[in-house]
Amino acid sequence: VERPDLSAADFKSDEATENDEYEPLVSLLDESPLTTGEWLEAAMESGCSRATFFRDKSVLVEKKLVQISEDKFWSRNQIETETAASK
């Protein structure tokens, strides 16, 4: 049943849009986990300033989109990735 008075945009989550803003930074971790220095270097090579990197990294940690291992390597939080993929 189609409803002309509804659109898919009405149901789009603001959180999903907000998380998309950080995707370029998180995607740097997709190939392999990186140390903070390696991640910063990759971010700066893609045009991110040092201040923006650390500000955004704090948001990513707070939102649990990234995680750091005991040996100090950052990676995308797999639990969050699996949860988002199942929606």
Side-chain angles (χ1 to χ4, degrees), residues 19-34 39 42-43 46 53 60 65-66 74-78 81:
N19 288 345
D20 288 346
E21 174 183 346
Y22 301 104
E23 183 56 28
L25 188 57
V26 177
S27 69
L28 295 172
L29 301 171
D30 287 345
E31 251 184 64
S32 66
L34 300 172
W39 192 16
S46 66
F53 169 80
L60 293 170
L65 296 173
V66 296
W74 289 96
S75 62
R76 186 184 288 267
N77 188 338
Q78 296 305 313
T81 303

Side-chain angles (χ1 to χ4, degrees), residues 1 13 15 18 23 27 29 35 43 53 55 60 66-67 85:
V1 175
S13 166
E15 183 177 332
E18 187 176 317
E23 183 56 28
S27 69
L29 301 171
T35 64
F53 169 80
R55 184 174 44 249
L60 293 170
V66 296
Q67 60 189 4

Side-chain angles (χ1 to χ4, degrees), residues 4-79:
D5 58 328
L6 298 177
S7 79
D10 295 339
F11 297 100
K12 188 171 183 181
S13 166
D14 288 338
E15 183 177 332
T17 304
E18 187 176 317
N19 288 345
D20 288 346
E21 174 183 346
Y22 301 104
E23 183 56 28
L25 188 57
V26 177
S27 69
L28 295 172
L29 301 171
D30 287 345
E31 251 184 64
S32 66
L34 300 172
T35 64
T36 301
E38 293 167 339
W39 192 16
L40 171 62
E41 185 178 332
M44 291 179 73
E45 286 175 4
S46 66
C48 181
S49 73
R50 180 181 173 87
T52 299
F53 169 80
F54 283 105
R55 184 174 44 249
D56 289 355
K57 182 175 75 68
S58 295
V59 173
L60 293 170
V61 170
E62 182 180 312
K63 291 177 174 267
K64 297 184 172 127
L65 296 173
V66 296
Q67 60 189 4
I68 190 165
S69 65
E70 289 181 16
D71 56 350
K72 307 293 184 199
F73 281 86
W74 289 96
S75 62
R76 186 184 288 267
N77 188 338
Q78 296 305 313
I79 295 170

